[in-house]
Amino acid sequence: MLPADDHSTPMTTLEKLSRRAFLSRSSATGVVTAAAAIAVPVTKMDAGTTQEATAPDTGPIPGAVPVTLKVNGETYRVQIDPRATLLDTLRETLHLTGTKKGCDHGQCGACTVHINGRRANSCLLFAAMQQNAEITTIEGLGTPERMHPVQASFVEHDAYQCGYCTSGQIMSAAAMLHEPCGPNDDDVKEALSGNICRCGAYVNIVAAVQAVRRKQSNV
Amino acid sequence: MSAAIGQPLDRVDGKAKVTGAGRYSAEIAFANVAYAAIVGAEVASGRISSIETTEAERAEGVLAVLTHRNLAKIAAQPHLLPSLAGQSAPGESFFPLQDDLVHYAGQPVAVVIADTLERAQYAACLVRVRYVQTPSTTTLDQGREQAYEAQRIFAGFIPGRVQRGNAEAGLAQAAVRIDATYRFAANHHNPIEPSATTAVWEGDRLTLYDATQGITATQLTAAELLGVPPSKVRVITRFIGGGFGCKAMIWPHVTIAAFAARHVKRPVKLALTREQMFTSCGHREEQEQRIVLGATEEGRLTALRHHKLSLTSPFDDWAEPSLGVAGMAYACPNYEGVYRLIRSNIMTPTFTRGPGETTGMFALECAMDELAYQLTLDPIELRLRNHADVDPVSGNPWSSKGLKECYQRGAERFGWKGRNPVPRSQRDGNWLIGTGMATAGYPVYFPMQPQRARARLYADGSAVVQAGTQDFGTGSATAMTQVAADGLGLPVDRVRFEYGDTDLPNTAAAVGSAGSGMVSAAVYVAATTLRDQLIARAIADEKSPLCRAHPNAVVVRDGRMALREQANTGEMYSDLLRRHFLADAEALGSWNPPGQNTGYGLATFGAQFAEVAVDPDLGLVRVRRMTGVFALGRVLNAKTARSQLMGGMLWGLGQALLEATYMDSKLGRWANSSLGDYLVPVDADAPDVDVELVEIHDEAVNPLGVKGCGEIGMVGAAAAIANAVFHATGRRVRELPIHIEHLL
C-alpha cells in the first residue's frame, strides 16, 4: 500500500531497493489509489510465441514487480508481490502445484525444487531473486508417460503413502544422485533426512533410491 | 475368486503422486480465488478488550476482516461427536469468533481475506488485539488438584469407570505387585499437508475442497453450522496429505472458510500455517497413567488397576480411551479402569493415531515387562501365561485372534530365542545393546450407518465402482479397486474406483482403522449384486449359452461368465449387454455393520519387537531394528498394508524417543510449534523395519473378513523400545519421550 506520490518510482530494480525500504513503504497507511493499474496476465514464452496462462485475477497490483522465471524449460513473465516466495509463486501464480508447502520454514523439505540442478527449499527463496536460474520442479522431472527413473522406482517400491512429501523426496533424491554420497543405506538416509515423511515410508524410499543407484552404477 | 484381492498391486494414484499431478485441497484453481489468514489469540484465557482492524482493512488487497463483531452467528452449537458415528463431527463443542472470550491460545479471533496470499498474511499482522488475561491451566501439574472423575469420555461413548470382579481383592491375593506411573508428553499429528479448505459458493450451494478424513463429516458439520441443508453442501477431496486423526474431526477453520467465501462472494482458500496446526486440529493430550498389577508367583494376573489422568478443554469431557485395549489384552478376572480429567485452557484433544491404545498399551506392556523381570520370567512366556482365550470383558469367544502365532513368528523372525535377559549384558563396541517386546491390540469398530457403493458395468466390459470414501495415504482407493474387480470377476485394469465426493454413495470416515473393512463390504456387495444381476439375465436368456443354468453354477473370470464345471460354456458380459441393447448395467450395494452385540470379542492383535543401542556416556538411543507381526484377517493389498504397518511402527519410534509438544505454562502457549522443534522421525532415525502378516479367517467382522491395519502398527512399538532400553541399560524409563537426561 503506497502513498500516491510513490507511483512515480516503480520498484522494478530490486538491486536498488533494500528490503527494509520496501517494507517501510508498504506499511505506510493511506488511501489506495486506483491509478496506474498494472495488468497482470501471466505470460508464458515458448519458442517465440506469447501465450496467456491462467493467472489469479488480482486486478491492479500497485507494487508488483515484473519477474521472469525459467521453470522446466519454459519462460514465464509474471507480475508478483516482491515478498512472494518461489514456492508460492509456483503454486499460486503458475499453478504448478506439484511442489508442496509443508511448513514454509525450510524445515520439512516438501517444497524441494532444483535451482540449476541443485536441490533447494523453494519456501526459503524469493521468486524475484531467481530470475537467472534454471528452475526444475516435479512436473519437469517427468510425466506419467515418461517418468524419471526415480519416479518409476518410487511407484514400484511403494515409496509413498499420502504423497504429499513425495515431490520433495523425489526432487531431493534426483539431485542427490549427482552429489557425493556413500553406497550404503545409511548414507542415503543421511542425505535424505531433510525431507520429512510423516507417513513413515522411509524404508521404501531408501529402497527405491538405492534401486536407481544400483541400476545407474551397472550402466 | 480372489484374483486381485491380496495382490501387492501398485497404487492406482501412484503416478499422480510421483509426478505432482494430484491436487490437494489448497491446490484447486479458481479464477477469482481469495485467500484467508487466521489470527489466533495470543493468550490462553481471558477476554478480548479491543480489536483494531482498521489498518488491516485498509491494507493493499484486503477484502474483509472478520471478527466476533461482524462474523455471522453459527446456526447451531457444535457438539463433539466422533466421525465414526456418521453424523456431523465437530472436534470440540465450541466455535470461535462468536463472542469476546478466549479459551485457549491460538483460538481464532480474526480472519483476514485478501486477494493474494502475501497480502492476507501481511494484513493479519496488522490486526491489533488487546486482551484482559485471566489465569490459565495448561499442564497436568498445574491442574492436578482440580481433577475429577469423568462420567463418560470420548464424546460420551465410553464410560468413565469400568470394573469387573474386585480389583482390591485381586490385588490382596497377589503374590507380586507392580505399581508404576507412566507420563506422556502431549503429541501433535503434524501431517505434512497443513489442513486446508477451499470454499466455493454458487448461489446457495457450497462446495468444499477440504483436507478431511471424512467428507460426509465435513459436509454435515459445515451444513449444521452454516444453517444450510446438507443437500446444498458438497465436499470433494481426492488427495489428502496425511491426517492421522487431525483431519478426522471437523474443526472451526473449515466452516470459517465457508463463512469467508460467503462474505466476500468469491472462492476462498484457507490453508493453516504449520504453527497454526498446533492449535487448530487437536492433539494427543498430555497424560499420566498409573498401573497396579497383581500376579501369582507363576505370573498369572490376579488384578489390574489402570487409572488415567489427563487434560481436556473447557468444553468437553474428552479423553482418548487409553484403558480400552489394555483392559482386554489379558485374561485378568479383576479389573478397574478410571478416567480422571482436568479442565484446562487447551482446545479439545482429539483422535491421534491409535487413540488411547498406544498410550494405554505402553503403560501396560512396560508394567508387564517389569513384572516379567520381577519374576525372572521370559517376557513372551509371561504374555502366553496370561493369554486371553476369550474376550475378558464380555466373556465372548474372539471372532479371530492369532496372537500366539504373532508372538511365535515374531520371536522367530527377530531372533528372540536364547536372549540373555540380564540388563547391560550385551555390547557392540561402546554401545549397550538391548531388546524388548510388547503386545499390540486394536479394537474393531463398527460405524452405525449403512455402508453404500455403486457399481456400473459398461458394454465394453469395463467398470466404474463408486463409494464416498477417502484415501489419505492408506491405499484404500487401490484396495477397493481390487475388491471391485474380484466382486465383478473383472481384471483389475478394467476397473476404475471413484471416491472422495459426497455425491457418491455414503461410507464411513477413514477413522478407527474401520475404513477398509466397512468400505470393502459395501463395494463387494455392490459388485457382486451387479454380477449376480447379469448372471440372472444370462440364465433367463434363450440366446445365452448359460440359459437355464443354476446361478450357483456360474462363475465370472476376466469378464466372462461360465459354468464352473464346464468353462467352455459361457459368454462375455459385453456380449450379453450388447445383445440386450444395454450400454451399461448398474447396481447399488448396501451393507449394514452389525451392532455392538455380535456375540464375539472383536479386536486385532500383533506382537512388536525392537532392538536398541544406547550410548552409555551420552544417553543417545538408536533403534537398530524393529519387527512387527500382525494378524489382520484378510489382507486386501499386501504392499499397502505393509506400508501402513511400517508407518505405524515408525510413529511408535517417534512417540518413544522424539515427540513432545511442550507447554509454556506461564504463557499457556505451546513452546515448540514448528517442525524444527517438534521432532518427528526423519530418514536417519528409521531402522530396518520388518513386518509380517498372519492371515487369519474372520467371518464376524464383515463379508471379506478384513480387520484393518492403519493404527495397530503403532500400538506396542514404543513399549518394545522402552523395554529394550531397560534391557540395554538397566534403567526403567516411565516417561515418554525418553530423553538423554533419563539415561545419563
Side-chain angles (χ1 to χ4, degrees):
Chain A
M1 227 302 300
L2 304 168
D5 55 275
D6 271 359
H7 286 293
S8 57
T9 47
M11 297 184 290
T12 55
T13 317
L14 281 164
E15 301 88 75
K16 286 194 199 159
L17 182 73
S18 76
R19 186 158 171 262
R20 186 188 303 256
F22 169 72
L23 288 173
S24 67
R25 282 162 83 177
S26 15
S27 68
T29 54
V31 176
V32 179
T33 66
I38 305 170
V40 287
V42 171
T43 50
K44 185 165 122 173
M45 323 280 270
D46 188 302
T49 58
T50 304
Q51 297 165 300
E52 297 234 339
T54 8
D57 175 15
T58 52
I61 305 188
V65 292
V67 168
T68 303
L69 294 171
K70 286 184 277 181
V71 184
N72 302 328
E74 312 263 7
T75 303
Y76 297 84
R77 290 228 170 113
V78 298
Q79 297 274 355
I80 53 166
D81 190 317
R83 298 168 294 190
T85 60
L86 177 60
L87 176 63
D88 286 325
T89 305
L90 290 169
R91 286 166 64 78
E92 307 300 329
T93 307
L94 301 183
H95 300 294
L96 293 169
T97 56
T99 309
K100 307 300 184 190
K101 179 183 287 193
C103 70
D104 221 22
H105 279 63
Q107 292 169 333
C108 74
C111 68
T112 306
V113 297
H114 297 169
I115 304 292
N116 301 322
R118 303 207 53 179
R119 45 186 172 152
N121 287 330
S122 59
C123 72
L124 295 179
L125 303 171
F126 286 115
M129 299 293 288
Q130 300 306 317
Q131 297 200 78
N132 296 315
E134 296 286 341
I135 301 166
T136 314
T137 69
I138 189 73
E139 292 93 341
L141 197 70
T143 61
E145 298 74 38
R146 285 196 61 203
M147 289 195 283
H148 185 279
V150 175
Q151 289 170 315
S153 193
F154 267 56
V155 173
E156 190 190 322
H157 289 86
D158 206 44
Y160 43 57
Q161 290 177 31
C162 79
Y164 200 74
C165 80
T166 305
S167 305
Q169 299 281 356
I170 291 174
M171 294 307 284
S172 213
M176 187 212 97
L177 294 177
H178 305 292
E179 292 169 16
C181 175
N184 300 323
D185 285 358
D186 282 348
D187 301 311
V188 172
K189 286 181 189 179
E190 275 298 323
L192 292 181
S193 281
N195 290 84
I196 300 179
C197 171
R198 191 53 165 145
C199 297
Y202 295 126
V203 171
N204 290 353
I205 290 171
V206 172
V209 173
Q210 288 289 58
V212 175
R213 295 176 86 207
R214 262 193 310 272
K215 269 197 208 122
Q216 286 192 340
S217 64
N218 286 342
V219 162
Chain B
M1 188 272 293
S2 282
I5 288 177
Q7 295 303 316
L9 217 66
D10 289 348
R11 289 182 202 237
V12 296
D13 51 5
K15 283 195 180 164
K17 285 173 175 169
V18 300
T19 57
R23 295 256 162 183
Y24 296 73
S25 300
E27 300 169 357
I28 317 295
F30 290 96
N32 207 25
V33 73
Y35 296 79
I38 288 179
V39 178
E42 292 182 351
V43 301
S45 173
R47 196 179 51 81
I48 297 171
S49 55
S50 72
I51 182 161
E52 280 302 313
T53 59
T54 321
E55 211 184 330
E57 281 161 2
R58 289 203 195 130
E60 207 89 84
V62 171
L63 302 169
V65 179
L66 301 174
T67 69
H68 66 281
R69 294 187 306 226
N70 61 350
L71 182 76
K73 293 284 173 249
I74 48 174
Q77 262 304 109
H79 290 291
L80 169 68
L81 202 58
S83 30
L84 209 59
Q87 314 285 346
S88 80
E92 54 186 3
S93 302
F94 167 72
F95 195 86
L97 298 160
Q98 301 287 288
D99 61 34
D100 61 0
L101 295 174
V102 175
H103 303 282
Y104 54 89
Q107 172 189 320
V109 295
V111 188
V112 175
I113 307 140
D115 58 1
T116 73
L117 181 59
E118 292 78 27
R119 291 168 172 193
Q121 288 175 332
Y122 177 63
C125 306
L126 301 176
V127 176
R128 312 229 179 279
V129 190
R130 282 215 173 82
Y131 306 90
V132 173
Q133 207 170 343
T134 50
S136 62
T137 301
T138 50
T139 66
L140 212 67
D141 289 332
Q142 268 183 324
R144 204 177 279 278
E145 305 305 309
Q146 284 91 50
Y148 62 96
E149 185 174 318
Q151 282 285 334
R152 300 189 77 82
I153 57 149
F154 206 70
F157 277 74
I158 291 176
R161 177 180 276 264
V162 173
Q163 281 163 190
R164 61 177 185 264
N166 184 333
E168 260 332 298
L171 285 171
Q173 284 166 20
V176 236
R177 191 193 263 232
I178 300 288
D179 184 345
T181 299
Y182 302 89
R183 284 196 71 142
F184 303 83
N187 282 177
H188 275 78
H189 314 70
N190 278 314
I192 302 298
E193 181 204 22
S195 292
T197 307
T198 301
V200 185
W201 289 90
E202 281 157 304
D204 63 352
R205 298 181 55 173
L206 171 67
T207 305
L208 291 171
Y209 300 86
D210 181 37
T212 179
Q213 293 170 237
I215 46 177
T216 302
T218 296
Q219 176 195 39
L220 296 177
T221 307
E224 189 176 81
L225 293 170
L226 291 163
V228 305
S231 54
K232 301 242 167 138
V233 180
R234 182 178 178 194
V235 180
I236 301 175
T237 316
R238 302 241 163 71
F239 287 86
I240 306 141
F244 316 109
C246 73
K247 295 171 181 167
M249 305 292 274
I250 314 308
W251 302 98
H253 66 270
V254 177
T255 310
I256 287 173
F259 274 124
R262 192 159 70 178
H263 190 95
V264 300
K265 299 185 176 35
R266 283 167 70 159
V268 164
K269 187 187 295 195
L270 195 167
L272 297 181
T273 65
R274 179 54 56 179
E275 187 179 359
Q276 286 170 343
M277 287 297 285
F278 286 81
T279 53
S280 303
C281 23
H283 59 280
R284 198 195 303 274
E285 66 266 25
E286 185 191 357
Q287 57 191 278
E288 203 172 82
Q289 293 180 29
R290 182 172 176 203
I291 294 229
V292 185
L293 284 180
T296 65
E297 287 287 357
E298 294 79 40
R300 288 182 216 284
L301 294 173
T302 59
L304 166 58
R305 191 196 282 147
H306 194 170
H307 287 194
K308 175 176 164 175
L309 175 67
S310 61
L311 292 174
T312 185
S313 68
F315 334 108
D316 295 299
D317 272 3
W318 164 274
E320 54 164 27
S322 308
L323 311 184
V325 163
M328 56 146 77
Y330 300 111
C332 179
N334 302 300
Y335 172 84
E336 177 188 279
V338 179
Y339 292 95
R340 299 178 75 235
L341 302 176
I342 300 164
R343 291 257 154 151
S344 61
N345 294 97
I346 55 171
M347 67 184 309
T348 303
T350 197
F351 302 92
T352 310
R353 196 169 199 172
E357 294 80 17
T358 55
T359 48
M361 286 303 274
F362 177 82
L364 180 61
E365 289 302 289
C366 288
M368 289 292 275
D369 198 67
E370 299 197 42
L371 181 63
Y373 270 87
Q374 190 152 329
L375 294 172
T376 326
L377 266 180
D378 173 73
I380 297 183
E381 178 58 31
L382 176 66
R383 289 357 184 251
L384 288 170
R385 289 190 186 180
N386 288 287
H387 182 268
D389 297 330
V390 298
D391 177 4
V393 176
S394 63
N396 290 338
W398 299 104
S399 64
S400 63
K401 191 161 183 180
L403 179 55
K404 288 186 184 171
E405 289 89 323
C406 291
Y407 290 140
Q408 186 210 329
R409 291 294 296 131
E412 270 164 32
R413 284 182 89 93
F414 187 77
W416 186 264
K417 193 171 163 180
R419 170 184 184 258
N420 179 353
V422 176
R424 299 184 85 92
S425 59
Q426 263 182 277
R427 287 209 178 229
D428 177 9
N430 195 38
W431 295 92
L432 290 167
I433 305 295
T435 52
M437 61 79 59
T439 303
Y442 193 87
V444 173
Y445 283 119
F446 293 126
M448 302 190 243
Q449 329 294 83
Q451 305 296 304
R452 303 193 192 103
R454 180 192 299 137
R456 178 188 298 172
L457 179 75
Y458 289 99
D460 71 345
S462 67
V464 176
V465 178
Q466 301 171 320
T469 188
Q470 302 74 221
D471 183 340
F472 62 97
T474 53
S476 54
T478 308
M480 296 313 140
T481 310
Q482 294 168 266
V483 170
D486 277 2
L488 281 165
L490 291 175
V492 160
D493 60 10
R494 299 235 74 202
V495 178
R496 182 164 62 86
F497 179 70
E498 269 186 7
Y499 57 100
D501 187 333
T502 48
D503 277 359
L504 301 179
N506 203 352
T507 63
V511 300
S513 296
S516 55
M518 301 298 103
V519 183
S520 65
V523 168
Y524 193 67
V525 171
T528 51
T529 301
L530 181 56
R531 174 200 69 194
D532 293 345
Q533 279 177 11
L534 293 164
I535 290 174
R537 190 180 274 272
I539 286 170
D541 182 4
E542 291 288 338
K543 298 205 178 112
S544 171
L546 294 168
C547 181
R548 283 184 286 280
H550 193 280
N552 293 346
V554 181
V555 293
V556 186
R557 209 191 128 93
D558 290 335
R560 184 171 179 277
M561 302 173 284
L563 293 178
R564 185 184 287 106
E565 307 303 324
Q566 205 178 308
N568 290 338
T569 305
E571 64 170 335
M572 300 291 290
Y573 277 145
S574 43
D575 291 332
L576 173 72
L577 287 171
R578 289 199 187 104
R579 199 165 62 244
H580 288 231
F581 300 104
L582 290 170
D584 60 43
E586 194 173 290
L588 289 172
S590 182
W591 181 70
N592 290 312
Q596 294 294 83
N597 301 320
T598 55
Y600 290 103
L602 298 154
T604 313
F605 292 93
Q608 303 265 23
F609 296 79
E611 176 181 313
V612 303
V614 181
D615 185 313
D617 306 310
L618 299 175
L620 299 172
V621 179
R622 294 283 177 266
V623 180
R624 288 212 166 167
R625 61 194 178 102
M626 297 172 81
T627 294
V629 182
F630 307 92
L632 295 186
R634 185 193 302 228
V635 175
L636 296 176
N637 181 315
K639 206 184 255 204
T640 56
R642 207 169 279 275
S643 290
Q644 280 299 289
L645 292 164
M646 281 198 308
M649 290 165 76
L650 284 175
W651 266 66
L653 189 159
Q655 183 188 34
L657 301 176
L658 297 167
E659 296 187 41
T661 329
Y662 298 105
M663 177 62 78
D664 180 323
S665 55
K666 257 185 69 182
L667 296 175
R669 296 172 67 165
W670 298 115
N672 58 328
S673 45
S674 79
L675 284 176
D677 300 309
Y678 181 91
L679 304 179
V680 302
V682 298
D683 213 331
D685 292 312
D688 289 335
V689 182
D690 173 38
V691 170
E692 178 169 329
L693 309 176
V694 171
E695 273 214 48
I696 47 175
H697 188 67
D698 193 315
E699 275 168 10
V701 285
N702 49 63
L704 293 174
V706 173
K707 285 170 103 172
C709 61
E711 294 168 278
I712 190 169
M714 188 180 175
V715 184
I721 289 169
N723 293 338
V725 168
F726 170 74
H727 185 225
T729 63
R731 298 257 195 112
R732 193 60 82 175
V733 181
R734 299 196 183 99
E735 189 177 328
L736 290 184
I738 297 171
H739 284 134
I740 288 172
E741 289 87 338
H742 290 130
L743 299 171
L744 290 174

